[in-house]
């Protein structure tokens, strides 16, 4: 199935070649967990600090759950960041 | 140095300048800067004073760690009564001005009365004098800075001054120091200009002193700098992306106020984000971001130094704006961008330059333009009022024109200078003003981040994120992640942030240090520098005392519990997309508990027990 992967800040370089505006449409298995997605794009786990699926935060302990995503979901990931 | 134990008092009416000792009993109760200056202010100024009356006073205050080797110890604040809100105003700035004040030997400068003619205050260590400034009146911040440096032939003078916006009576005018750092909020620049003071220029060569235990202080500052360096946020994220890294975060979360807070996501967010500032432009291959920059003593260096594309319509005939200058921070980028619907990074950067050049709070400016755009789109105002400007959401051209007019206090820019509340009231649509206590919102929609709703409603200076930045916890997971859509526990969270922030502000350190530091890191540095026992518990208690003192001033000024609320749009109109879709800000679920925990009556007044507990002045 297709989902949108968005990697921000320092993680942007880990997106597939040709990705624009920090996002890429990618194909994944329906059974994929968030940590499998994180590992597939070689994101160091501690750098996957803020993980949002369609804007909703998924905490660390829930990221191994299989079938975590639906077609056309948007997964956005940031390293530790802050501002204000 | 820690406290210099000296205050410079300047009576502008009669020109008398005097030195006096710092009240050390109050210093033990209120620490410095925000807290201690507020204690002086409430002692000396009637809360009912007109903000632009000569009877209002204007205090520039450092904290005991300002100017020391503690990381981020470069802060000072301007404390006065706000013409925008009618509340206490306390606007905090970085740069190098605060440290220079300390090096000149002063904890605070108190300006009182009103000069009969324009002047600037020049302070060189123990020597201070008022210098005629008729030739500077009518000049921008940048021009004034250059003229004063030339006049004294000293490039090391540090200058804080007001621009043409403040002179024109713009109610959200800032005091800008070091060209592009600002005590930005609540119209503190307007008050300074009302006293006929164009600038305060400082030169201090006295160095650091009065540290209680120098060896312990050096050890503590060294150890805690290592914490900042090792932290992913303060050691890497902020220096590289600045606060602007939040643009995509908050948009993704569905809490990015868009088009005067009608919506909660902006389709053009990426184009004006921190990431976009790193992307090469098509025209010249350069990035918007030239480099980062740091304030005095800061080992984070989150500041942005940027340039505008020389071929961009806003500057193509204005080479004076082709160089590098202070770039976009998140709050400014939001107000100038998503809130007005403009997704043109160069336009936003240019307007940000104008805000620095003439001393305007970009948050209040952008939010007021957003309100004006809604008035325009609703047909309440037309090109007749705007002077021909098609003031539509998304128009970069309109934003730029309005910014130029507002900077100079001309045309419809004069009306923008009223701020959102007065502008919307003037045109009979007060519900379109996205303000609390008359101050415009910053960049977080409280429908998607509930704790920020309580933060805004109870902030002692009107809508503001810097009074309790619960975004840290609710969004970013610092120090612990909480659910942004929940209201349970938020009164406690808001109070903890409010009190800790008041203590940090009063120390002279930057609140951004708290993305890595807690009071456990900060209290040992204060304790090593300052007389007395400065435990974590005492710092928190001092923060709470400061909050209560500010609240008490506001209630004496005539505010009531009815002012602790949000615009109806946020309480009645649900978010249209994202995780908060269908939700409003449930302020009613948080406010009563907040009052109870604060020790206030249901009318929002301090109880006698609360007053006694914190030893507040009667």
């Amino acid at each position: 199935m297709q989902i949108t992967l968005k990697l921000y800040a320092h993680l942007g370089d880990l997106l597939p070649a040709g990705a624009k505006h920090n996002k890429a449409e990618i194909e994944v298995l329906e059974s994929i967990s968030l940590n499998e997605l994180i590992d597939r794009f070689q994101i160091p786990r501690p750098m996957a600090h803020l993980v949002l699926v369609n804007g909703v935060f998924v905490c660390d302990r829930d990221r191994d759950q299989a079938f975590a995503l639906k077609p056309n979901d948007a997964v956005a990931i940031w390293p530790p960041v802050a501002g204000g | 140095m820690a406290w210099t134990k000296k205050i410079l008092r300047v009576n502008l009416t009669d020109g008398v300048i005097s030195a006096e000792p710092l009240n050390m009993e109050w210093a033990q109760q209120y620490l410095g800067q925000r807290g201690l200056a507020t204690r002086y202010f409430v002692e000396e100024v009637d809360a009912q004073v007109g903000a632009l009356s000569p009877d209002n006073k204007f205090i520039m205050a450092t904290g005991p760690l300002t100017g020391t080797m503690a990381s981020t110890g470069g802060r000072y604040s301007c404390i006065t009564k706000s013409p925008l809100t009618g509340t206490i105003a306390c606007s905090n700035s970085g740069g190098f001005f605060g440290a220079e004040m300390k090096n000149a030997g002063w904890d605070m400068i108190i300006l009182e009365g009103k000069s009969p003619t324009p002047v600037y205050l020049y302070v060189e260590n123990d020597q201070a004098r008022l210098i005629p400034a008729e030739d500077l009146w009518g000049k921008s911040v940048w021009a004034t800075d250059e003229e004063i440096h030339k006049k004294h032939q000293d490039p090391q003078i540090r200058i804080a001054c007001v621009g043409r916006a403040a002179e024109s009576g713009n109610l959200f005018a800032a005091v800008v120091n070091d060209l592009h750092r600002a005590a930005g909020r609540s119209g503190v620049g307007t008050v300074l200009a009302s006293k006929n003071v164009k600038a305060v220029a400082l030169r201090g060569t006295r160095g650091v002193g009065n540290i209680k235990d120098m060896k312990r202080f050096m050890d503590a500052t060294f150890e805690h700098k290592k914490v900042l360096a090792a932290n992913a946020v303060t050691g890497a994220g902020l220096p590289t992306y600045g606060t602007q890294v939040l643009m995509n975060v908050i948009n993704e979360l569905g809490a990015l106020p868009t088009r005067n807070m009608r919506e909660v996501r902006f389709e053009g967010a990426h184009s004006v984000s921190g990431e976009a500032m790193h992307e090469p432009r098509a025209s010249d291959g350069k990035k918007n971001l030239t480099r980062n920059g740091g304030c005095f003593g800061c080992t984070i260096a989150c500041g942005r130094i940027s340039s505008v594309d020389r071929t961009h319509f806003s500057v193509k005939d204005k080479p004076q704006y082709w160089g590098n200058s202070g770039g976009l921070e998140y709050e400014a980028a939001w107000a100038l961008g998503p809130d007005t619907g403009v997704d043109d990074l160069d336009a936003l950067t240019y307007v940000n330059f104008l805000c620095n050049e003439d001393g305007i709070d970009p948050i209040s400016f952008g939010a007021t333009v957003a309100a004006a755009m809604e008035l325009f789109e609703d047909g309440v105002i037309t090109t007749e009022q705007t002077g021909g400007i098609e003031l539509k959401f998304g128009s970069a051209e309109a934003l730029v024109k309005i910014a130029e007019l507002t900077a100079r206090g001309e045309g419809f820019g004069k009306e923008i200078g009223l701020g959102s509340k007065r502008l919307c009231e003037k045109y009979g649509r007060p519900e379109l003003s996205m303000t609390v206590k008359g101050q415009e919102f910053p960049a977080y929609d409280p429908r998607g981040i509930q704790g920020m709703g309580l933060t805004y409603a109870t902030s002692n200076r009107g809508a503001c994120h810097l009074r309790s930045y619960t975004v840290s916890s609710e969004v970013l997971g610092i120090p612990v992640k909480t659910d942004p859509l929940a209201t349970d526990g938020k009164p406690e969270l808001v109070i903890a942030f409010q009190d800790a922030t008041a203590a940090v502000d009063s120390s002279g350190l930057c609140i951004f240090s708290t993305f890595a530091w807690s009071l456990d890191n900060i209290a040992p540095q204060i304790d090593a520098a300052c007389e007395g026992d400065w435990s974590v518990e005492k710092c928190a208690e001092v923060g709470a005392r400061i909050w209560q003192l500010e609240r008490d001033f506001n209630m004496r000024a005539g505010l009531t519990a009815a002012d602790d609320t949000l615009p109806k749009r946020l309480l009645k109109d649900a978010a249209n997309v994202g995780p908060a879709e269908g939700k409003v800000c449930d302020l009613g679920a948080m406010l009563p508990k907040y009052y109870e925990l604060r020790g206030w009556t249901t009318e929002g007044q301090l109880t006698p027990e609360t007053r006694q507990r914190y030893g507040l002045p009667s």
Side-chain angles (χ1 to χ4, degrees), chain A residues 6 8-10 21-22 49-50 54-57 78 80-84, chain B residues 233 238 240-241 248-249 252-253 270 275 331 444 469 475-476 481 515 579:
Chain A
K6 305 177 183 181
Y8 290 107
H10 299 287
H21 300 325
N22 293 84
H49 175 73
L50 184 60
N54 302 324
V56 178
F57 176 71
W78 286 264
V81 294
Chain B
V233 172
L238 277 173
T240 306
Y241 289 97
N248 285 310
V249 176
E252 197 69 22
L253 199 74
H270 185 276
E275 285 84 355
E331 310 297 337
Y444 313 90
Y469 193 64
V475 177
L476 307 169
K481 185 77 173 72
F515 293 130

mmCIF file of all heavy atoms in Angstrom, chain A residues 6 8-10 21-22 49-50 54-57 78 80-84, chain B residues 233 238 240-241 248-249 252-253 270 275 331 444 469 475-476 481 515 579:
data_model
loop_
_atom_site.group_PDB
_atom_site.id
_atom_site.type_symbol
_atom_site.label_atom_id
_atom_site.label_comp_id
_atom_site.label_asym_id
_atom_site.label_seq_id
_atom_site.Cartn_x
_atom_site.Cartn_y
_atom_site.Cartn_z
ATOM 1 N N LYS A 6 7.201 11.573 5.782
ATOM 2 C CA LYS A 6 7.756 12.923 5.895
ATOM 3 C C LYS A 6 8.870 12.888 6.940
ATOM 4 O O LYS A 6 8.613 12.495 8.089
ATOM 5 C CB LYS A 6 6.672 13.919 6.337
ATOM 6 C CG LYS A 6 5.441 13.936 5.441
ATOM 7 C CD LYS A 6 4.401 14.901 5.999
ATOM 8 C CE LYS A 6 3.126 14.885 5.163
ATOM 9 N NZ LYS A 6 2.108 15.832 5.665
ATOM 10 N N TYR A 8 11.806 15.248 8.747
ATOM 11 C CA TYR A 8 12.125 16.662 8.910
ATOM 12 C C TYR A 8 13.456 16.879 9.625
ATOM 13 O O TYR A 8 14.026 15.965 10.203
ATOM 14 C CB TYR A 8 11.003 17.357 9.684
ATOM 15 C CG TYR A 8 9.729 17.470 8.883
ATOM 16 C CD1 TYR A 8 8.627 16.680 9.183
ATOM 17 C CD2 TYR A 8 9.637 18.355 7.813
ATOM 18 C CE1 TYR A 8 7.446 16.785 8.455
ATOM 19 C CE2 TYR A 8 8.451 18.472 7.072
ATOM 20 C CZ TYR A 8 7.375 17.688 7.391
ATOM 21 O OH TYR A 8 6.215 17.798 6.663
ATOM 22 N N ALA A 9 13.858 18.133 9.582
ATOM 23 C CA ALA A 9 15.118 18.583 10.183
ATOM 24 C C ALA A 9 16.265 17.724 9.647
ATOM 25 O O ALA A 9 16.306 17.447 8.440
ATOM 26 C CB ALA A 9 15.020 18.574 11.711
ATOM 27 N N HIS A 10 17.157 17.255 10.520
ATOM 28 C CA HIS A 10 18.328 16.504 10.044
ATOM 29 C C HIS A 10 17.937 15.209 9.329
ATOM 30 O O HIS A 10 18.739 14.656 8.581
ATOM 31 C CB HIS A 10 19.223 16.128 11.227
ATOM 32 C CG HIS A 10 19.752 17.305 11.976
ATOM 33 N ND1 HIS A 10 20.729 18.122 11.469
ATOM 34 C CD2 HIS A 10 19.441 17.802 13.195
ATOM 35 C CE1 HIS A 10 21.003 19.073 12.344
ATOM 36 N NE2 HIS A 10 20.233 18.904 13.403
ATOM 37 N N HIS A 21 10.344 18.778 -0.617
ATOM 38 C CA HIS A 21 9.600 19.340 0.508
ATOM 39 C C HIS A 21 9.505 18.353 1.661
ATOM 40 O O HIS A 21 8.473 18.257 2.328
ATOM 41 C CB HIS A 21 8.209 19.803 0.067
ATOM 42 C CG HIS A 21 8.250 20.855 -0.990
ATOM 43 N ND1 HIS A 21 9.227 21.825 -1.044
ATOM 44 C CD2 HIS A 21 7.439 21.078 -2.057
ATOM 45 C CE1 HIS A 21 9.016 22.605 -2.079
ATOM 46 N NE2 HIS A 21 7.947 22.181 -2.721
ATOM 47 N N ASN A 22 10.586 17.596 1.868
ATOM 48 C CA ASN A 22 10.689 16.695 3.025
ATOM 49 C C ASN A 22 9.672 15.569 3.035
ATOM 50 O O ASN A 22 9.379 15.001 4.080
ATOM 51 C CB ASN A 22 10.584 17.478 4.355
ATOM 52 C CG ASN A 22 11.761 18.385 4.574
ATOM 53 O OD1 ASN A 22 11.780 19.510 4.073
ATOM 54 N ND2 ASN A 22 12.758 17.898 5.283
ATOM 55 N N HIS A 49 12.280 10.827 17.443
ATOM 56 C CA HIS A 49 11.769 11.303 18.741
ATOM 57 C C HIS A 49 10.278 11.597 18.672
ATOM 58 O O HIS A 49 9.500 11.158 19.508
ATOM 59 C CB HIS A 49 12.536 12.564 19.141
ATOM 60 C CG HIS A 49 12.029 13.204 20.395
ATOM 61 N ND1 HIS A 49 12.245 12.669 21.641
ATOM 62 C CD2 HIS A 49 11.292 14.327 20.588
ATOM 63 C CE1 HIS A 49 11.674 13.440 22.550
ATOM 64 N NE2 HIS A 49 11.081 14.446 21.947
ATOM 65 N N LEU A 50 9.916 12.345 17.661
ATOM 66 C CA LEU A 50 8.511 12.741 17.512
ATOM 67 C C LEU A 50 7.968 12.030 16.276
ATOM 68 O O LEU A 50 8.392 12.301 15.153
ATOM 69 C CB LEU A 50 8.434 14.263 17.339
ATOM 70 C CG LEU A 50 7.064 14.906 17.254
ATOM 71 C CD1 LEU A 50 6.256 14.650 18.516
ATOM 72 C CD2 LEU A 50 7.205 16.422 17.038
ATOM 73 N N ASN A 54 -0.726 10.800 10.824
ATOM 74 C CA ASN A 54 -1.842 11.725 10.544
ATOM 75 C C ASN A 54 -1.973 12.778 11.648
ATOM 76 O O ASN A 54 -3.068 13.160 12.054
ATOM 77 C CB ASN A 54 -3.160 10.965 10.381
ATOM 78 C CG ASN A 54 -3.080 9.940 9.271
ATOM 79 O OD1 ASN A 54 -2.440 10.179 8.256
ATOM 80 N ND2 ASN A 54 -3.698 8.783 9.477
ATOM 81 N N GLY A 55 -0.823 13.197 12.157
ATOM 82 C CA GLY A 55 -0.799 14.253 13.157
ATOM 83 C C GLY A 55 -0.909 13.778 14.590
ATOM 84 O O GLY A 55 -0.765 14.575 15.523
ATOM 85 N N VAL A 56 -1.147 12.481 14.785
ATOM 86 C CA VAL A 56 -1.323 11.965 16.149
ATOM 87 C C VAL A 56 -0.029 11.301 16.615
ATOM 88 O O VAL A 56 0.525 10.438 15.921
ATOM 89 C CB VAL A 56 -2.487 10.952 16.219
ATOM 90 C CG1 VAL A 56 -2.632 10.376 17.626
ATOM 91 C CG2 VAL A 56 -3.779 11.624 15.780
ATOM 92 N N PHE A 57 0.441 11.683 17.780
ATOM 93 C CA PHE A 57 1.699 11.162 18.320
ATOM 94 C C PHE A 57 1.571 9.680 18.657
ATOM 95 O O PHE A 57 0.582 9.241 19.240
ATOM 96 C CB PHE A 57 2.051 11.940 19.591
ATOM 97 C CG PHE A 57 3.277 11.438 20.302
ATOM 98 C CD1 PHE A 57 4.538 11.623 19.752
ATOM 99 C CD2 PHE A 57 3.163 10.779 21.515
ATOM 100 C CE1 PHE A 57 5.674 11.167 20.419
ATOM 101 C CE2 PHE A 57 4.291 10.316 22.187
ATOM 102 C CZ PHE A 57 5.550 10.515 21.630
ATOM 103 N N TRP A 78 10.411 13.456 13.383
ATOM 104 C CA TRP A 78 11.409 14.468 13.715
ATOM 105 C C TRP A 78 12.403 13.920 14.734
ATOM 106 O O TRP A 78 12.010 13.135 15.617
ATOM 107 C CB TRP A 78 10.758 15.693 14.372
ATOM 108 C CG TRP A 78 10.002 16.589 13.470
ATOM 109 C CD1 TRP A 78 10.454 17.730 12.876
ATOM 110 C CD2 TRP A 78 8.630 16.452 13.068
ATOM 111 N NE1 TRP A 78 9.450 18.305 12.141
ATOM 112 C CE2 TRP A 78 8.321 17.538 12.235
ATOM 113 C CE3 TRP A 78 7.630 15.509 13.333
ATOM 114 C CZ2 TRP A 78 7.070 17.724 11.661
ATOM 115 C CZ3 TRP A 78 6.385 15.681 12.756
ATOM 116 C CH2 TRP A 78 6.116 16.775 11.930
ATOM 117 N N PRO A 80 14.772 15.011 18.099
ATOM 118 C CA PRO A 80 14.390 15.954 19.166
ATOM 119 C C PRO A 80 14.538 17.396 18.667
ATOM 120 O O PRO A 80 15.613 17.780 18.203
ATOM 121 C CB PRO A 80 15.398 15.652 20.281
ATOM 122 C CG PRO A 80 15.826 14.245 20.026
ATOM 123 C CD PRO A 80 15.830 14.098 18.533
ATOM 124 N N VAL A 81 13.461 18.139 18.691
ATOM 125 C CA VAL A 81 13.484 19.541 18.257
ATOM 126 C C VAL A 81 12.671 20.372 19.238
ATOM 127 O O VAL A 81 11.863 19.842 20.011
ATOM 128 C CB VAL A 81 12.878 19.731 16.841
ATOM 129 C CG1 VAL A 81 13.730 19.046 15.789
ATOM 130 C CG2 VAL A 81 11.438 19.217 16.779
ATOM 131 N N ALA A 82 12.885 21.655 19.178
ATOM 132 C CA ALA A 82 12.076 22.566 20.002
ATOM 133 C C ALA A 82 12.212 23.957 19.427
ATOM 134 O O ALA A 82 13.058 24.214 18.562
ATOM 135 C CB ALA A 82 12.531 22.537 21.452
ATOM 136 N N GLY A 83 11.394 24.837 19.900
ATOM 137 C CA GLY A 83 11.451 26.223 19.431
ATOM 138 C C GLY A 83 10.578 27.077 20.312
ATOM 139 O O GLY A 83 10.428 26.781 21.489
ATOM 140 N N GLY A 84 9.984 28.087 19.730
ATOM 141 C CA GLY A 84 9.087 28.901 20.546
ATOM 142 C C GLY A 84 9.327 30.375 20.358
ATOM 143 O O GLY A 84 10.159 30.782 19.603
ATOM 144 N N VAL B 233 18.445 18.858 21.274
ATOM 145 C CA VAL B 233 17.739 20.092 20.927
ATOM 146 C C VAL B 233 18.671 21.290 20.993
ATOM 147 O O VAL B 233 18.837 22.031 20.020
ATOM 148 C CB VAL B 233 16.526 20.312 21.860
ATOM 149 C CG1 VAL B 233 15.914 21.681 21.620
ATOM 150 C CG2 VAL B 233 15.501 19.221 21.651
ATOM 151 N N LEU B 238 18.410 23.357 17.585
ATOM 152 C CA LEU B 238 18.215 24.812 17.589
ATOM 153 C C LEU B 238 19.306 25.558 16.821
ATOM 154 O O LEU B 238 18.998 26.483 16.060
ATOM 155 C CB LEU B 238 18.113 25.336 19.030
ATOM 156 C CG LEU B 238 16.733 25.213 19.686
ATOM 157 C CD1 LEU B 238 16.792 25.601 21.159
ATOM 158 C CD2 LEU B 238 15.702 26.085 18.969
ATOM 159 N N THR B 240 20.943 24.589 14.252
ATOM 160 C CA THR B 240 20.828 24.335 12.814
ATOM 161 C C THR B 240 19.539 24.908 12.237
ATOM 162 O O THR B 240 19.553 25.586 11.206
ATOM 163 C CB THR B 240 20.865 22.824 12.531
ATOM 164 O OG1 THR B 240 22.042 22.283 13.139
ATOM 165 C CG2 THR B 240 20.899 22.549 11.032
ATOM 166 N N TYR B 241 18.438 24.619 12.873
ATOM 167 C CA TYR B 241 17.139 24.991 12.295
ATOM 168 C C TYR B 241 16.462 26.156 13.007
ATOM 169 O O TYR B 241 15.483 26.694 12.503
ATOM 170 C CB TYR B 241 16.211 23.776 12.272
ATOM 171 C CG TYR B 241 16.660 22.761 11.246
ATOM 172 C CD1 TYR B 241 17.428 21.668 11.619
ATOM 173 C CD2 TYR B 241 16.371 22.934 9.898
ATOM 174 C CE1 TYR B 241 17.882 20.753 10.673
ATOM 175 C CE2 TYR B 241 16.818 22.038 8.946
ATOM 176 C CZ TYR B 241 17.570 20.945 9.340
ATOM 177 O OH TYR B 241 18.026 20.065 8.399
ATOM 178 N N ASN B 248 6.639 22.996 10.557
ATOM 179 C CA ASN B 248 6.053 21.753 10.055
ATOM 180 C C ASN B 248 5.479 20.891 11.180
ATOM 181 O O ASN B 248 4.492 20.180 10.981
ATOM 182 C CB ASN B 248 7.100 20.968 9.251
ATOM 183 C CG ASN B 248 7.345 21.598 7.885
ATOM 184 O OD1 ASN B 248 6.413 21.884 7.152
ATOM 185 N ND2 ASN B 248 8.608 21.832 7.553
ATOM 186 N N VAL B 249 6.107 20.941 12.353
ATOM 187 C CA VAL B 249 5.605 20.157 13.488
ATOM 188 C C VAL B 249 4.180 20.591 13.838
ATOM 189 O O VAL B 249 3.252 19.772 13.912
ATOM 190 C CB VAL B 249 6.501 20.331 14.741
ATOM 191 C CG1 VAL B 249 5.912 19.587 15.936
ATOM 192 C CG2 VAL B 249 7.928 19.867 14.481
ATOM 193 N N GLU B 252 1.627 19.845 11.097
ATOM 194 C CA GLU B 252 1.268 18.428 11.025
ATOM 195 C C GLU B 252 0.298 18.064 12.157
ATOM 196 O O GLU B 252 -0.620 17.259 11.988
ATOM 197 C CB GLU B 252 2.549 17.588 11.130
ATOM 198 C CG GLU B 252 2.418 16.163 10.686
ATOM 199 C CD GLU B 252 2.213 16.002 9.177
ATOM 200 O OE1 GLU B 252 2.578 16.912 8.427
ATOM 201 O OE2 GLU B 252 1.658 14.965 8.778
ATOM 202 N N LEU B 253 0.526 18.702 13.281
ATOM 203 C CA LEU B 253 -0.303 18.429 14.456
ATOM 204 C C LEU B 253 -1.713 19.009 14.313
ATOM 205 O O LEU B 253 -2.611 18.693 15.101
ATOM 206 C CB LEU B 253 0.382 19.057 15.679
ATOM 207 C CG LEU B 253 -0.009 18.588 17.050
ATOM 208 C CD1 LEU B 253 0.583 17.207 17.324
ATOM 209 C CD2 LEU B 253 0.510 19.566 18.102
ATOM 210 N N HIS B 270 5.200 24.454 4.510
ATOM 211 C CA HIS B 270 6.573 24.045 4.205
ATOM 212 C C HIS B 270 7.364 25.168 3.555
ATOM 213 O O HIS B 270 8.562 25.340 3.817
ATOM 214 C CB HIS B 270 6.592 22.803 3.301
ATOM 215 C CG HIS B 270 7.989 22.303 3.093
ATOM 216 N ND1 HIS B 270 8.825 22.817 2.127
ATOM 217 C CD2 HIS B 270 8.722 21.389 3.776
ATOM 218 C CE1 HIS B 270 10.013 22.226 2.213
ATOM 219 N NE2 HIS B 270 9.968 21.357 3.202
ATOM 220 N N GLU B 275 13.024 24.241 7.431
ATOM 221 C CA GLU B 275 13.642 23.423 6.383
ATOM 222 C C GLU B 275 13.770 24.219 5.080
ATOM 223 O O GLU B 275 14.795 24.151 4.397
ATOM 224 C CB GLU B 275 12.817 22.145 6.151
ATOM 225 C CG GLU B 275 12.975 21.080 7.231
ATOM 226 C CD GLU B 275 12.067 21.303 8.438
ATOM 227 O OE1 GLU B 275 11.381 22.346 8.488
ATOM 228 O OE2 GLU B 275 12.045 20.444 9.337
ATOM 229 N N GLU B 331 7.748 32.287 15.686
ATOM 230 C CA GLU B 331 6.532 33.071 15.981
ATOM 231 C C GLU B 331 6.312 34.156 14.924
ATOM 232 O O GLU B 331 5.178 34.386 14.490
ATOM 233 C CB GLU B 331 6.615 33.710 17.366
ATOM 234 C CG GLU B 331 6.998 32.767 18.500
ATOM 235 C CD GLU B 331 6.014 31.646 18.741
ATOM 236 O OE1 GLU B 331 4.838 31.792 18.364
ATOM 237 O OE2 GLU B 331 6.426 30.611 19.303
ATOM 238 N N TYR B 444 0.238 28.907 18.261
ATOM 239 C CA TYR B 444 -0.238 27.583 18.654
ATOM 240 C C TYR B 444 -1.739 27.652 18.865
ATOM 241 O O TYR B 444 -2.221 28.440 19.685
ATOM 242 C CB TYR B 444 0.455 27.125 19.961
ATOM 243 C CG TYR B 444 1.942 27.347 19.903
ATOM 244 C CD1 TYR B 444 2.488 28.550 20.334
ATOM 245 C CD2 TYR B 444 2.789 26.390 19.364
ATOM 246 C CE1 TYR B 444 3.849 28.798 20.243
ATOM 247 C CE2 TYR B 444 4.156 26.619 19.267
ATOM 248 C CZ TYR B 444 4.676 27.827 19.709
ATOM 249 O OH TYR B 444 6.023 28.069 19.605
ATOM 250 N N TYR B 469 5.249 27.631 28.443
ATOM 251 C CA TYR B 469 5.367 27.001 27.133
ATOM 252 C C TYR B 469 5.063 25.512 27.257
ATOM 253 O O TYR B 469 5.943 24.656 27.150
ATOM 254 C CB TYR B 469 6.767 27.245 26.579
ATOM 255 C CG TYR B 469 6.904 26.916 25.116
ATOM 256 C CD1 TYR B 469 6.179 27.628 24.168
ATOM 257 C CD2 TYR B 469 7.755 25.908 24.683
ATOM 258 C CE1 TYR B 469 6.299 27.333 22.821
ATOM 259 C CE2 TYR B 469 7.875 25.610 23.330
ATOM 260 C CZ TYR B 469 7.147 26.334 22.412
ATOM 261 O OH TYR B 469 7.261 26.044 21.074
ATOM 262 N N VAL B 475 3.618 18.728 23.059
ATOM 263 C CA VAL B 475 3.980 18.396 21.677
ATOM 264 C C VAL B 475 5.361 17.752 21.593
ATOM 265 O O VAL B 475 5.541 16.723 20.954
ATOM 266 C CB VAL B 475 3.947 19.665 20.790
ATOM 267 C CG1 VAL B 475 4.399 19.345 19.373
ATOM 268 C CG2 VAL B 475 2.557 20.277 20.800
ATOM 269 N N LEU B 476 6.323 18.380 22.251
ATOM 270 C CA LEU B 476 7.716 17.992 22.025
ATOM 271 C C LEU B 476 8.233 16.956 23.019
ATOM 272 O O LEU B 476 9.354 16.455 22.867
ATOM 273 C CB LEU B 476 8.595 19.253 22.064
ATOM 274 C CG LEU B 476 8.131 20.369 21.111
ATOM 275 C CD1 LEU B 476 8.874 21.660 21.384
ATOM 276 C CD2 LEU B 476 8.300 19.949 19.655
ATOM 277 N N LYS B 481 6.158 13.698 27.821
ATOM 278 C CA LYS B 481 5.086 13.898 26.848
ATOM 279 C C LYS B 481 3.737 13.826 27.543
ATOM 280 O O LYS B 481 3.465 12.904 28.320
ATOM 281 C CB LYS B 481 5.179 12.807 25.771
ATOM 282 C CG LYS B 481 4.185 12.973 24.634
ATOM 283 C CD LYS B 481 4.602 14.051 23.635
ATOM 284 C CE LYS B 481 3.674 14.079 22.424
ATOM 285 N NZ LYS B 481 2.348 14.606 22.715
ATOM 286 N N PHE B 515 14.994 23.787 27.387
ATOM 287 C CA PHE B 515 14.765 22.590 26.569
ATOM 288 C C PHE B 515 15.737 21.480 26.982
ATOM 289 O O PHE B 515 15.513 20.312 26.681
ATOM 290 C CB PHE B 515 14.924 22.914 25.077
ATOM 291 C CG PHE B 515 13.848 23.829 24.563
ATOM 292 C CD1 PHE B 515 14.157 24.965 23.839
ATOM 293 C CD2 PHE B 515 12.512 23.551 24.811
ATOM 294 C CE1 PHE B 515 13.162 25.810 23.370
ATOM 295 C CE2 PHE B 515 11.505 24.388 24.340
ATOM 296 C CZ PHE B 515 11.836 25.517 23.627
ATOM 297 N N PRO B 579 -5.936 16.060 14.076
ATOM 298 C CA PRO B 579 -6.299 15.325 15.299
ATOM 299 C C PRO B 579 -7.330 16.043 16.163
ATOM 300 O O PRO B 579 -8.071 15.408 16.899
ATOM 301 C CB PRO B 579 -4.961 15.196 16.039
ATOM 302 C CG PRO B 579 -3.921 15.327 14.991
ATOM 303 C CD PRO B 579 -4.479 16.245 13.962
#
